[in-house]
Amino acid sequence: MLTPKHVFDRLFENFGNQHWWPVSSENEQFEIIIGAILTQNTSWKNVEKVLETLKKEGLIHPEKMIEIQTKKLAELIRPSGYYNQKAERLKIVSQFLLENDLAAMGVEWMRKKLLEIKGVGPETADSIILYAFNKPSFVVDLYTKRIFSRLGLINNNSSYNEVKQFFETNLEKDVELFQEFHALIVEHAKSFCKKKPDCENCFLRKNCKKLI
DNA sequence: TCCCAGGGGCCGA
DNA sequence: TCGGCCCATGGG
Protein backbone atom coordinates (compact mmCIF):
# COMPACT_ATOMS: atom_id res chain seq x y z
CA MET A 1 0.00 0.00 0.00
CA LEU A 2 1.52 3.26 -1.16
CA THR A 3 1.31 6.05 1.42
CA PRO A 4 2.05 9.78 1.17
CA LYS A 5 5.03 9.29 3.49
CA HIS A 6 6.42 6.61 1.20
CA VAL A 7 6.15 8.98 -1.75
CA PHE A 8 7.81 11.70 0.30
CA ASP A 9 10.73 9.43 1.14
CA ARG A 10 11.24 8.50 -2.50
CA LEU A 11 11.12 12.13 -3.59
CA PHE A 12 13.55 13.15 -0.87
CA GLU A 13 15.96 10.36 -1.81
CA ASN A 14 15.99 11.53 -5.39
CA PHE A 15 15.87 15.30 -5.11
CA GLY A 16 17.21 16.02 -1.63
CA ASN A 17 16.47 19.10 0.44
CA GLN A 18 14.87 21.87 -1.63
CA HIS A 19 15.80 24.84 0.61
CA TRP A 20 12.64 26.81 0.10
CA TRP A 21 12.22 30.09 1.89
CA PRO A 22 14.01 29.74 5.20
CA VAL A 23 12.58 32.52 7.37
CA SER A 24 14.84 34.26 9.82
CA SER A 25 13.44 37.77 10.04
CA GLU A 26 10.22 39.71 9.83
CA ASN A 27 11.50 41.23 6.62
CA GLU A 28 11.85 37.81 5.02
CA GLN A 29 8.42 36.90 6.27
CA PHE A 30 6.90 39.76 4.31
CA GLU A 31 8.99 38.82 1.29
CA ILE A 32 7.50 35.33 1.37
CA ILE A 33 3.99 36.71 1.54
CA ILE A 34 4.68 38.94 -1.45
CA GLY A 35 6.23 36.01 -3.28
CA ALA A 36 3.15 33.89 -2.63
CA ILE A 37 0.98 36.49 -4.34
CA LEU A 38 3.36 37.14 -7.22
CA THR A 39 3.81 33.49 -8.08
CA GLN A 40 0.11 32.87 -8.66
CA ASN A 41 -0.02 31.03 -11.98
CA THR A 42 3.46 32.34 -12.75
CA SER A 43 6.90 30.76 -12.88
CA TRP A 44 9.14 31.45 -9.90
CA LYS A 45 11.91 32.76 -12.17
CA ASN A 46 9.79 35.74 -13.14
CA VAL A 47 8.93 36.32 -9.50
CA GLU A 48 12.59 36.36 -8.44
CA LYS A 49 13.29 39.22 -10.83
CA VAL A 50 10.44 41.23 -9.41
CA LEU A 51 11.50 40.55 -5.82
CA GLU A 52 14.95 41.93 -6.65
CA THR A 53 13.38 45.06 -8.09
CA LEU A 54 11.15 45.53 -5.05
CA LYS A 55 14.19 45.15 -2.78
CA LYS A 56 16.10 47.80 -4.68
CA GLU A 57 13.11 50.11 -4.38
CA GLY A 58 12.93 49.44 -0.65
CA LEU A 59 9.40 48.13 -0.91
CA ILE A 60 9.69 44.94 1.11
CA HIS A 61 7.83 46.58 3.99
CA PRO A 62 4.04 46.75 4.27
CA GLU A 63 4.20 50.45 5.23
CA LYS A 64 6.10 51.27 2.02
CA MET A 65 3.88 49.04 -0.07
CA ILE A 66 0.71 50.88 0.85
CA GLU A 67 2.32 54.26 0.13
CA ILE A 68 3.33 53.63 -3.47
CA GLN A 69 0.80 54.34 -6.21
CA THR A 70 -0.85 51.22 -7.59
CA LYS A 71 0.04 52.22 -11.15
CA LYS A 72 3.71 52.64 -10.31
CA LEU A 73 3.75 49.35 -8.41
CA ALA A 74 2.15 47.61 -11.37
CA GLU A 75 4.95 48.79 -13.64
CA LEU A 76 7.59 47.54 -11.22
CA ILE A 77 6.07 44.07 -11.01
CA ARG A 78 5.29 43.79 -14.71
CA PRO A 79 7.55 40.74 -15.38
CA SER A 80 5.48 38.62 -12.98
CA GLY A 81 2.42 38.85 -15.22
CA TYR A 82 -1.15 39.86 -14.25
CA TYR A 83 0.55 42.98 -12.94
CA ASN A 84 -2.55 45.14 -12.52
CA GLN A 85 -4.33 42.51 -10.41
CA LYS A 86 -1.25 41.66 -8.42
CA ALA A 87 -0.40 45.30 -7.66
CA GLU A 88 -3.84 45.70 -6.14
CA ARG A 89 -3.48 42.42 -4.23
CA LEU A 90 -0.10 43.39 -2.79
CA LYS A 91 -1.54 46.60 -1.44
CA ILE A 92 -4.59 44.89 0.03
CA VAL A 93 -2.46 42.25 1.76
CA SER A 94 -0.06 44.89 3.09
CA GLN A 95 -2.94 46.86 4.54
CA PHE A 96 -4.28 43.70 6.12
CA LEU A 97 -0.94 42.84 7.71
CA LEU A 98 -0.68 46.29 9.26
CA GLU A 99 -4.10 45.92 10.82
CA ASN A 100 -3.93 42.28 11.93
CA ASP A 101 -1.46 40.33 14.02
CA LEU A 102 -1.48 37.03 12.16
CA ALA A 103 1.38 35.57 14.18
CA ALA A 104 -0.78 35.64 17.29
CA MET A 105 -3.52 33.52 15.68
CA GLY A 106 -3.99 29.78 15.62
CA VAL A 107 -3.74 28.04 12.28
CA GLU A 108 -7.48 27.65 11.67
CA TRP A 109 -8.31 31.25 12.48
CA MET A 110 -5.31 32.54 10.53
CA ARG A 111 -6.48 30.59 7.49
CA LYS A 112 -10.01 31.90 7.80
CA LYS A 113 -8.79 35.50 8.02
CA LEU A 114 -6.41 35.07 5.08
CA LEU A 115 -9.17 33.64 2.90
CA GLU A 116 -11.26 36.74 3.51
CA ILE A 117 -8.60 38.82 1.73
CA LYS A 118 -9.37 39.57 -1.90
CA GLY A 119 -6.65 37.92 -3.96
CA VAL A 120 -5.81 35.22 -1.43
CA GLY A 121 -7.27 31.81 -2.24
CA PRO A 122 -6.64 28.47 -0.54
CA GLU A 123 -3.23 27.77 -2.03
CA THR A 124 -1.85 31.22 -1.33
CA ALA A 125 -3.28 31.16 2.21
CA ASP A 126 -1.72 27.78 2.96
CA SER A 127 1.62 28.84 1.46
CA ILE A 128 1.69 31.91 3.69
CA ILE A 129 0.79 29.89 6.80
CA LEU A 130 3.33 27.17 6.04
CA TYR A 131 6.30 29.15 4.76
CA ALA A 132 5.91 32.63 6.27
CA PHE A 133 4.56 31.61 9.68
CA ASN A 134 6.01 28.11 9.96
CA LYS A 135 2.74 26.51 10.94
CA PRO A 136 1.48 23.19 9.57
CA SER A 137 -1.06 23.74 6.81
CA PHE A 138 -0.60 21.45 3.84
CA VAL A 139 -0.34 23.27 0.50
CA VAL A 140 -2.22 21.75 -2.43
CA ASP A 141 -1.61 22.87 -5.97
CA LEU A 142 -2.22 21.64 -9.48
CA TYR A 143 0.98 19.59 -9.24
CA THR A 144 -0.15 17.84 -6.07
CA LYS A 145 -3.39 16.82 -7.73
CA ARG A 146 -1.64 15.74 -10.91
CA ILE A 147 0.98 13.56 -9.24
CA PHE A 148 -1.24 11.93 -6.64
CA SER A 149 -4.14 11.28 -8.95
CA ARG A 150 -1.76 9.60 -11.39
CA LEU A 151 -0.38 7.55 -8.51
CA GLY A 152 -3.98 6.53 -7.78
CA LEU A 153 -4.05 7.96 -4.25
CA ILE A 154 -6.68 10.63 -4.88
CA ASN A 155 -9.38 11.31 -7.45
CA ASN A 156 -8.56 13.76 -10.17
CA ASN A 157 -11.72 15.73 -9.47
CA SER A 158 -11.23 15.99 -5.70
CA SER A 159 -11.71 19.45 -4.26
CA TYR A 160 -8.88 21.47 -2.74
CA ASN A 161 -10.01 20.73 0.80
CA GLU A 162 -10.47 17.03 0.15
CA VAL A 163 -6.88 16.73 -1.05
CA LYS A 164 -5.61 18.84 1.83
CA GLN A 165 -7.47 16.62 4.30
CA PHE A 166 -6.05 13.52 2.67
CA PHE A 167 -2.50 14.66 3.37
CA GLU A 168 -3.14 16.10 6.80
CA THR A 169 -4.81 12.90 8.05
CA ASN A 170 -2.19 10.60 6.54
CA LEU A 171 0.92 12.51 7.58
CA GLU A 172 2.42 13.54 10.87
CA LYS A 173 1.56 17.23 11.42
CA ASP A 174 5.10 18.39 11.07
CA VAL A 175 5.92 21.83 9.67
CA GLU A 176 9.22 20.87 8.12
CA LEU A 177 7.71 17.77 6.55
CA PHE A 178 4.89 19.82 5.01
CA GLN A 179 7.33 22.47 3.76
CA GLU A 180 9.71 19.99 2.21
CA PHE A 181 6.95 17.82 0.77
CA HIS A 182 5.31 20.63 -1.16
CA ALA A 183 8.67 21.77 -2.53
CA LEU A 184 9.49 18.22 -3.61
CA ILE A 185 6.11 17.86 -5.30
CA VAL A 186 6.83 20.99 -7.33
CA GLU A 187 10.24 19.65 -8.28
CA HIS A 188 8.89 16.26 -9.30
CA ALA A 189 6.11 17.81 -11.36
CA LYS A 190 8.65 19.93 -13.21
CA SER A 191 11.17 17.15 -13.74
CA PHE A 192 9.03 14.09 -14.52
CA CYS A 193 5.33 14.37 -13.79
CA LYS A 194 4.81 17.13 -16.29
CA LYS A 195 1.60 17.69 -18.16
CA LYS A 196 3.15 15.37 -20.71
CA PRO A 197 4.82 13.03 -18.23
CA ASP A 198 8.24 11.48 -18.61
CA CYS A 199 7.15 8.11 -17.23
CA GLU A 200 10.03 6.27 -18.84
CA ASN A 201 12.58 7.95 -16.58
CA CYS A 202 10.40 8.41 -13.52
CA PHE A 203 11.58 6.67 -10.35
CA LEU A 204 7.97 6.27 -9.18
CA ARG A 205 6.85 4.39 -12.26
CA LYS A 206 6.62 1.05 -10.49
CA ASN A 207 4.10 2.53 -8.07
CA CYS A 208 2.17 4.51 -10.64
CA LYS A 209 -1.26 3.58 -11.94
CA LYS A 210 -1.09 6.00 -14.82
CA LEU A 211 1.70 4.78 -17.03
CA ILE A 212 1.59 6.68 -20.28
C1' DT B 1 4.43 29.61 -32.88
C1' DC B 2 2.58 27.33 -29.10
C1' DC B 3 2.51 25.91 -24.38
C1' DC B 4 2.90 26.56 -19.70
C1' DA B 5 4.06 28.58 -15.16
C1' DG B 6 4.48 27.32 -7.19
C1' DG B 7 -4.11 30.88 -8.86
C1' DG B 8 -8.03 33.57 -7.94
C1' DG B 9 -12.20 36.50 -8.88
C1' DC B 10 -16.33 36.87 -11.13
C1' DC B 11 -20.45 35.48 -13.40
C1' DG B 12 -24.10 32.65 -15.19
C1' DA B 13 -26.49 28.21 -14.92
C1' DT C 1 -21.60 24.55 -6.05
C1' DC C 2 -19.33 24.47 -10.58
C1' DG C 3 -17.62 25.42 -15.36
C1' DG C 4 -15.86 29.04 -18.23
C1' DC C 5 -13.55 33.14 -18.85
C1' DC C 6 -10.30 36.77 -17.75
C1' DC C 7 -5.98 38.47 -16.06
C1' DA C 8 -0.33 38.80 -18.88
C1' DT C 9 4.74 38.26 -19.00
C1' DG C 10 8.70 35.37 -20.12
C1' DG C 11 11.13 31.04 -21.12
C1' DG C 12 11.48 26.59 -23.49
Side-chain angles (χ1 to χ4, degrees):
Chain A
M1 174 69 181
L2 189 64
T3 65
K5 181 61 164 63
H6 181 214
V7 177
F8 172 83
D9 290 337
R10 296 298 311 279
L11 293 173
F12 193 82
E13 277 168 32
N14 281 273
F15 295 118
N17 194 306
Q18 297 300 295
H19 306 291
W20 269 27
W21 289 336
V23 186
S24 57
S25 70
E26 205 164 291
N27 206 15
E28 287 178 8
Q29 185 175 63
F30 186 58
E31 184 178 334
I32 291 167
I33 295 169
I34 292 174
I37 301 279
L38 291 174
T39 197
Q40 291 172 349
N41 207 31
T42 303
S43 70
W44 186 250
K45 283 243 168 200
N46 292 14
V47 175
E48 282 181 321
K49 269 189 221 165
V50 171
L51 286 176
E52 279 311 304
T53 304
L54 294 178
K55 273 183 202 169
K56 275 184 203 157
E57 298 286 329
L59 287 169
I60 312 282
H61 307 275
E63 314 85 50
K64 299 290 178 191
M65 198 62 90
I66 59 170
E67 282 171 10
I68 187 173
Q69 284 193 333
T70 309
K71 262 195 168 178
K72 174 141 195 234
L73 181 58
E75 281 310 307
L76 291 173
I77 66 170
R78 198 184 186 100
S80 72
Y82 308 113
Y83 49 88
N84 288 315
Q85 281 189 357
K86 287 178 180 176
E88 189 194 354
R89 291 177 184 182
L90 289 181
K91 292 184 71 92
I92 292 174
V93 168
S94 299
Q95 185 69 42
F96 174 88
L97 291 172
L98 291 173
E99 292 171 354
N100 296 271
D101 184 10
L102 277 178
M105 301 177 190
V107 176
E108 294 307 319
W109 188 250
M110 187 190 290
R111 189 166 194 271
K112 177 175 155 48
K113 298 304 286 180
L114 283 169
L115 288 174
E116 289 172 3
I117 304 171
K118 185 181 171 188
V120 177
E123 185 183 337
T124 306
D126 289 326
S127 296
I128 290 172
I129 296 168
L130 184 60
Y131 292 104
F133 291 94
N134 288 309
K135 297 194 176 180
S137 196
F138 201 88
V139 178
V140 176
D141 62 356
L142 208 62
Y143 294 155
T144 313
K145 286 191 183 179
R146 189 199 289 165
I147 294 172
F148 285 85
S149 62
R150 284 175 177 168
L151 288 171
L153 290 176
I154 61 171
N155 288 323
N156 195 27
N157 54 5
S158 301
S159 70
Y160 186 96
N161 284 325
E162 284 168 350
V163 179
K164 180 178 170 64
Q165 284 308 312
F166 168 73
F167 283 97
E168 294 192 352
T169 54
N170 287 291
L171 285 172
E172 194 184 339
K173 258 203 172 169
D174 178 306
V175 178
E176 288 181 15
L177 172 65
F178 283 14
Q179 289 176 334
E180 199 60 44
F181 206 166
H182 177 61
L184 287 166
I185 285 169
V186 171
E187 187 56 36
H188 188 60
K190 284 179 178 169
S191 304
F192 299 101
C193 209
K194 299 175 272 198
K195 202 162 190 178
K196 264 185 138 181
D198 181 9
C199 297
E200 203 172 317
N201 297 306
C202 179
F203 51 86
L204 292 176
R205 64 170 295 141
K206 270 186 277 181
N207 302 308
C208 197
K209 302 262 189 290
K210 177 107 181 180
L211 278 177
I212 296 178

